[in-house]
């Protein structure tokens, strides 16, 4: 099993297909953005993947941004293949993203998860994430 940060030169059609298929396990109704847009040169989004013998087992992303209150990151789209859950892959993906966040000088990392995702919540808490007392609002623009 290899946990790695994707770079633009790592992008291939088969990898795009595997990411698309894996992501549907997290949310089959969302129209996906192509990897080439996400990790283009100069992008502040980091994407880590777990692969074993060429098969994609999991992925997670960290979108970075700078605001008056600091350099922050938002963890998004954490998904581990259903058949491979319980093997510590999610924890390893998050650890790799947190390494990247520290290396990039971020001072806070946020994430959002649904209240029904008990296993994910337990993982995040075990890694030191705390529930933030605030409201999350959304407005779909398209």
């Amino acid at each position: 099993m290899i946990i790695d940060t994707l770079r633009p030169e790592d992008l291939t059609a088969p990898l795009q297909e595997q990411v698309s298929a894996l992501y549907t396990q997290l949310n089959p109704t969302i129209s996906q953005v192509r990897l080439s847009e996400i990790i283009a040169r100069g992008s502040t989004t980091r994407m880590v993947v777990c692969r074993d013998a060429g098969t994609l087992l999991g992925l997670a992303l960290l979108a970075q941004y700078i605001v008056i209150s600091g350099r922050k990151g938002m963890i998004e789209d954490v998904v581990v293949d259903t058949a491979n859950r319980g093997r510590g892959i999610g924890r390893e993906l998050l650890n790799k993203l947190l390494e990247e966040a520290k290396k990039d000088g971020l001072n806070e990392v946020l994430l959002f998860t649904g209240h029904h995702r008990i296993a994910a919540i337990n993982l995040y808490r075990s890694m030191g994430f705390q529930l933030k007392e605030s409201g999350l609002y959304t407005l779909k623009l398209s």
Side-chain angles (χ1 to χ4, degrees):
M1 224 173 29
I2 297 172
I3 305 288
D4 201 12
T5 303
L6 287 184
R7 301 167 310 212
E9 56 268 22
D10 297 327
L11 300 181
T12 63
L15 177 62
Q16 177 67 64
E17 290 171 15
Q18 287 186 46
V19 167
S20 295
L22 180 61
Y23 189 80
T24 61
Q25 292 182 25
L26 180 65
N27 191 330
T29 63
I30 286 184
S31 177
Q32 298 178 23
V33 175
R34 299 206 45 86
L35 292 178
S36 58
E37 290 182 60
I38 298 167
I39 58 172
R41 295 207 185 282
S43 172
T44 58
T45 299
R46 304 285 181 255
M47 180 174 183
V48 295
V49 295
C50 175
R51 293 185 267 199
D52 190 19
T55 300
L56 186 67
L57 305 181
L59 62 88
L61 288 90
L62 176 70
Q64 301 181 28
Y65 59 99
I66 302 172
V67 291
I68 293 171
S69 58
R71 300 175 58 80
K72 300 181 181 193
M74 175 68 89
I75 292 178
E76 297 269 358
D77 301 334
V78 179
V79 59
V80 174
D81 176 62
T82 305
N84 288 282
R85 292 182 185 159
R87 296 178 54 194
I89 294 170
R91 180 177 301 277
E92 292 301 317
L93 290 167
L94 291 174
N95 280 332
K96 183 70 171 171
L97 282 180
L98 294 173
E99 284 176 25
E100 295 282 340
K102 288 175 186 172
K103 188 170 51 175
D104 291 341
L106 302 188
N107 59 306
E108 185 176 20
V109 174
L110 305 114
L111 61 80
F112 171 79
T113 191
H115 297 294
H116 65 283
R117 298 189 65 217
I118 303 302
I121 291 168
N122 290 336
L123 170 62
Y124 303 147
R125 285 184 176 156
S126 75
M127 296 183 72
F129 286 88
Q130 298 175 359
L131 183 61
K132 188 171 181 166
E133 295 298 324
S134 67
L136 176 68
Y137 297 84
T138 182
L139 174 64
K140 300 282 185 181
L141 299 177
S142 57

